[in-house]
Amino acid sequence: MSGSALRRGWRSPVATAVVAAATGAALGALSGLLAGSTWALHAVLAVAGTALVVLGVRAVSRSSWLPSTVALLVSSYALLACYATPPGSSPLLVGPATLERAGQLGGQAAQLIEVSVVPMPVPPPVELLIVGAAVLVFLAADLLAVGCGMPALTGLALVAVWTPAVVLGFPGSTAALAATGFLYLVLLALAQPPVSRDRGGRRAATVLAGAAGLVVVTLAAGPVVAAVPAWSWLDLPDVGTGAVGPVRLADDLDLRDSLREQSSQVVLRYTVEAVDPEADGRPAATAGLVGPLRSFTLRDFDGRSWQRDPGADLTDWDREGLLSSTPGLVGAAPDPARGTLVSVGVQVGALREQRLPVSTFPRTVAIDGRWSYDAARDEVVGQDRTQAGTRYDMVVEVPALDADLLRAAAGDLPDGADAYLAVPETEHEQDLRDLAAEITAGAGTAYDRALALQSYFRDGTQFRYDTSVEAGTSDDAVWDFLQSRRGYCVQFATAMTVLARTLDIPARLGVGFLPGDLGSDRAYRVTGADAHAWPELYFPGTGWVRFEPTPAVQTGPPPAWSNPFSASTPTAAPTTGTAQPSAAPTPTATSTTSSSGGGLPGVTTADGTPAPLITLGVLVLVAAGVLGGIALRRRQQQGARLTPEAAWRRLRERLRRAGVGWSDAHTPRQAAAAVRDQVRDRRGRPLSAEAEQALTALAASVERERYAPDPGPPAPAELQAWIAVVLTDVSTGSRPEAPGTPLPARG
């Protein structure tokens, strides 16, 4: 096969058109990752405009690289003018300010991608990256196919578009995959050397029919092959934990290890049904959540890594009696009077564990084989590892835990609790104790201290979820994490566990799996990527209780009993009024002002464009007109887009200049109370009613963003108005008006 045929005659423009169409079709790979469809339309239009520029240059030049170079310059100019034009500037003038803004948008996009969850909304900074990437993929594919005469290698550029979906395990559009493959085969057919008209017609018909037939067979056979039972649970060679082979959970967790690539294999499938006590134990057709499934717990921490504590007292158990860390419940029958009963049926997939994943709540466990119970660690331990197809059933007694119950917990600690209070003797042990005391200052109960610790770590303005761990600088990995403020679940869970121990709260580390995703068949699907660690704190009379310090971007909202958004916290100062702010946005909203570029005018030029070429000038006009629709939409979206977290940071920075501030350990409510007290002390009078309401509303919106399961986006203008009201009152004492932006109503 030769690609030289694509460089001349009618094949060259047809090949460019086929490459552009294949690039547009390949964007369907991102449909499972990104929300909405506007980004796809804009990317397709940008690719089409770039293709027109390539065709125009190639029509008047025999150079293999000049069409791609000119198209790159023109498309870069158009994208910068469209997305990165500073407010108040002309999109015709792409200068240093535009480039600086483009760099800022790139940084915002990288941060948004890092903290967002699938499907991810596509704000302007992220759309800029996607559209730019689509243009680059097209230019690379076209240069390989037509410019270099190597059409077979265009598959590498097209595969790159599918890589994120494949790596992350979110399927794209089947139709897009079929279209991309078909167009790629058509491109290869175009590269066949010229032959006689009769033979060429027959050969072209044969190649096109073969391409279509291959696509049809693939689409027809794919679902059949995928439907083979336990296809994803094949017993691969045991090569250890990771993306290949069976999955096992490590029990020697090192805080200074970066998180390796996690397996996408299904390790567990389970169903959850509520048990109706009035229907003789028959499950009702309603689903309930049992929380994460824990495989084991860890007690001993040496300042850097967790190790299994030696010894275990394994016993048999009654398959119809409860297994639990709650005092007095082991062996008891499930009782709906103590909590909600749910039936859980589990099937093991690619998991090879000697410790069975079970609910953290009291539960019965019915499983065949040689299994024992370790009451001290609340673990179900087997003599052999689980295998694909292993089944077991649980009846889980979900207790009615709430803040009042945990706040009232009192009594003696059980025997052996001292081992769960041990803190590593490092050079920063006293620093950790001092920090824990500062974070929990004013918290009157063990529960309130635990809640303060959890809120401290879930503060998105202070800590960031990151799978890469920086090298330590001391003998205390927890202290190093608190300095870098970046880590994944092991760092967050360990830090809260150690700080809780410094406050004389027994704490241990739970290791297992997040609940997974609920499928259309009403079954939950748990993969190796759902492996997770969390702290469990002991409360007399209740037992071990899970908390969730890992940020919401990875774990969602914390448990209901430790959610400060729904649980009243006496550590927060009372407010003078009750505000009703709008709900906070999702973490994927832009954190600073959005891209607001202007409309693209009819004439577009770029440095290096051969201006004397009349034909090229006409085609550039066409390409600019195609991209003008994108620019017009961006122009209409001028204005700042603030998240509550960004607004909170902005208010804090401005107040600090006025001598008013708060500690990183303060929750939003405590911070608001600190502002009130400092203003009253400095001026001799409290905040105005309007400023009081605005401050309360902004603090509440921050809480919603951090803790609410499904926060809605507030109006950016409303956030900005709250900031302005507070700052004006603090600095001048006047009561400003915000035309068109109503303040929250008083309660």
Side-chain angles (χ1 to χ4, degrees):
M1 180 181 299
S2 172
S4 60
L6 296 180
R7 299 183 184 178
R8 57 181 179 270
W10 61 270
R11 295 172 185 254
S12 176
V14 172
T16 296
V18 170
V19 170
T23 304
L27 293 174
L30 305 178
S31 60
L33 297 174
L34 305 175
S37 59
T38 304
W39 61 269
L41 174 61
H42 292 172
V44 168
L45 292 176
V47 169
T50 306
L52 290 175
V53 176
V54 169
L55 291 173
V57 179
R58 193 165 283 145
V60 296
S61 173
R62 295 185 178 181
S63 172
S64 60
W65 55 266
L66 185 60
S68 300
T69 302
V70 172
L72 178 61
L73 291 172
V74 173
S75 60
S76 298
Y77 178 91
L79 290 177
L80 289 173
C82 188
Y83 287 93
T85 300
S89 301
S90 171
L92 287 174
L93 303 176
V94 175
T98 306
L99 297 178
E100 181 181 359
R101 182 168 177 79
Q104 295 173 352
L105 293 176
Q108 293 177 26
Q111 183 177 7
L112 290 169
I113 292 172
E114 183 176 358
V115 303
S116 296
V117 295
V118 176
M120 175 186 177
V122 185
V126 177
E127 186 176 292
L128 171 60
L129 287 189
I130 295 171
V131 174
V135 169
L136 290 177
V137 167
F138 162 73
L139 290 174
D142 178 77
L143 181 62
L144 288 170
V146 183
C148 300
M150 296 184 291
L153 295 183
T154 60
L156 297 177
L158 298 176
V159 166
V161 183
W162 288 86
T163 301
V166 172
V167 171
L168 298 176
F170 290 90
S173 167
T174 302
L177 177 61
T180 305
F182 177 76
L183 292 169
Y184 176 66
L185 294 175
V186 170
L187 183 65
L188 297 182
L190 288 172
Q192 293 293 327
V195 293
S196 66
R197 181 172 300 179
D198 293 340
R199 292 178 58 192
R202 288 194 298 270
R203 175 177 292 183
T206 301
V207 171
L208 291 177
L214 180 60
V215 172
V216 171
V217 170
T218 302
L219 293 178
V224 176
V225 174
V228 174
W231 173 257
S232 63
W233 296 353
L234 292 179
D235 194 2
L236 300 176
D238 191 350
V239 296
T241 304
V244 180
V247 175
R248 294 200 304 271
L249 295 173
D251 56 11
D252 55 346
L253 303 177
D254 192 324
L255 268 68
R256 290 183 176 161
D257 284 345
S258 295
L259 185 63
R260 295 174 293 174
E261 181 181 359
Q262 299 297 287
S263 171
S264 61
Q265 297 181 90
V266 177
V267 296
L268 296 171
R269 295 179 190 270
Y270 66 95
T271 58
V272 181
E273 294 181 314
V275 175
D276 184 356
E278 298 180 358
D280 299 325
R282 289 176 293 155
T286 57
L289 282 177
V290 297
L293 299 178
R294 184 187 63 208
S295 291
F296 55 88
T297 61
L298 296 172
R299 184 192 70 186
D300 296 339
F301 180 65
D302 62 8
R304 170 167 179 161
S305 62
W306 288 93
Q307 302 294 334
R308 291 283 289 179
D309 50 303
D313 184 12
L314 301 179
T315 61
D316 293 332
W317 80 92
D318 180 4
R319 297 303 199 258
E320 297 182 356
L322 291 173
L323 303 179
S324 173
S325 62
T326 302
L329 280 189
V330 175
D335 186 352
R338 289 192 300 259
T340 303
L341 301 184
V342 292
S343 173
V344 183
V346 187
Q347 182 177 4
V348 176
L351 181 67
R352 304 297 176 265
E353 270 291 337
Q354 287 184 279
R355 292 152 301 191
L356 205 62
V358 297
S359 173
T360 58
F361 299 129
R363 88 302 290 179
T364 67
V365 180
I367 185 173
D368 296 330
R370 299 176 296 177
W371 295 85
S372 303
Y373 181 57
D374 183 350
R377 301 184 181 95
D378 194 23
E379 298 172 0
V380 178
V381 184
Q383 297 186 22
D384 301 312
R385 294 179 183 174
T386 56
Q387 298 294 323
T390 299
R391 293 179 178 273
Y392 58 100
D393 297 296
M394 297 183 290
V395 174
V396 181
E397 187 178 284
V398 182
L401 291 176
D402 58 32
D404 293 336
L405 176 66
L406 296 175
R407 194 170 280 128
D412 297 330
L413 297 177
D415 295 337
D418 290 345
Y420 294 96
L421 292 171
V423 177
E425 297 179 358
T426 67
E427 60 181 303
H428 291 291
E429 177 185 354
Q430 189 58 47
D431 294 324
L432 295 179
R433 294 184 182 276
D434 293 342
L435 176 62
E438 177 187 354
I439 295 172
T440 60
T445 67
Y447 167 77
D448 291 315
R449 290 191 286 273
L451 194 63
L453 291 177
Q454 178 184 267
S455 298
Y456 173 70
F457 288 112
R458 290 178 70 91
D459 184 349
T461 66
Q462 302 299 324
F463 289 91
R464 190 174 77 177
Y465 185 89
D466 195 334
T467 58
S468 299
V469 178
E470 298 179 358
T473 59
S474 73
D475 66 342
D476 195 316
V478 171
W479 180 255
D480 291 337
F481 163 68
L482 292 171
Q483 301 311 300
S484 69
R485 297 176 180 260
R486 296 170 57 181
Y488 54 97
C489 61
V490 174
Q491 282 76 22
F492 284 95
T494 301
M496 181 169 174
T497 300
V498 172
L499 293 188
R501 290 181 176 186
T502 68
L503 301 171
D504 295 326
I505 304 175
R508 67 186 185 187
L509 196 75
V511 180
F513 297 95
L514 291 169
D517 298 321
L518 181 62
S520 58
D521 58 353
R522 308 307 299 168
Y524 288 88
R525 177 178 174 271
V526 181
T527 69
D530 291 315
H532 187 53
W534 59 86
E536 296 182 359
L537 278 56
Y538 190 87
F539 293 87
T542 300
W544 294 98
V545 177
R546 175 177 66 93
F547 284 77
E548 189 52 82
T550 303
V553 65
Q554 183 68 12
T555 61
W561 58 86
S562 67
N563 191 333
F565 183 72
S566 57
S568 59
T569 54
T571 57
T575 60
T576 59
T578 302
Q580 298 176 355
S582 301
T586 61
T588 56
T590 53
S591 58
T592 58
T593 57
S594 67
S595 172
S596 59
L600 197 63
V603 178
T604 302
T605 61
D607 294 338
T609 301
L613 301 178
I614 299 177
T615 304
L616 175 60
V618 173
L619 290 174
V620 169
L621 284 174
V622 174
V626 171
L627 293 174
I630 308 174
L632 182 60
R633 179 179 178 87
R634 299 277 72 78
R635 186 69 172 179
Q636 294 172 347
Q637 292 180 344
Q638 289 187 2
R641 288 185 180 177
L642 287 177
T643 65
E645 289 285 8
W648 193 244
R649 287 195 300 269
R650 183 176 298 180
L651 176 64
R652 185 179 185 183
E653 292 172 358
R654 302 285 179 83
L655 287 176
R656 185 182 290 119
R657 299 173 189 172
V660 178
W662 61 83
S663 167
D664 291 343
H666 282 81
T667 66
R669 296 188 191 185
Q670 292 172 329
V675 171
R676 298 186 193 98
D677 293 341
Q678 293 176 54
V679 170
R680 182 184 299 108
D681 293 341
R682 287 174 177 271
R683 300 190 317 181
R685 70 169 182 81
L687 287 170
S688 66
E690 292 85 350
E692 171 68 32
Q693 293 179 47
L695 180 62
T696 302
L698 182 55
S701 69
V702 174
E703 287 187 337
R704 287 179 182 273
E705 182 175 42
R706 294 179 185 175
Y707 304 109
D710 187 23
E718 190 173 24
L719 291 170
Q720 187 62 48
W722 293 341
I723 296 175
V725 169
V726 175
L727 292 177
T728 303
D729 187 74
V730 170
S731 60
T732 65
S734 61
R735 300 184 181 186
E737 296 181 356
T741 305
L743 289 172
R746 289 189 179 185

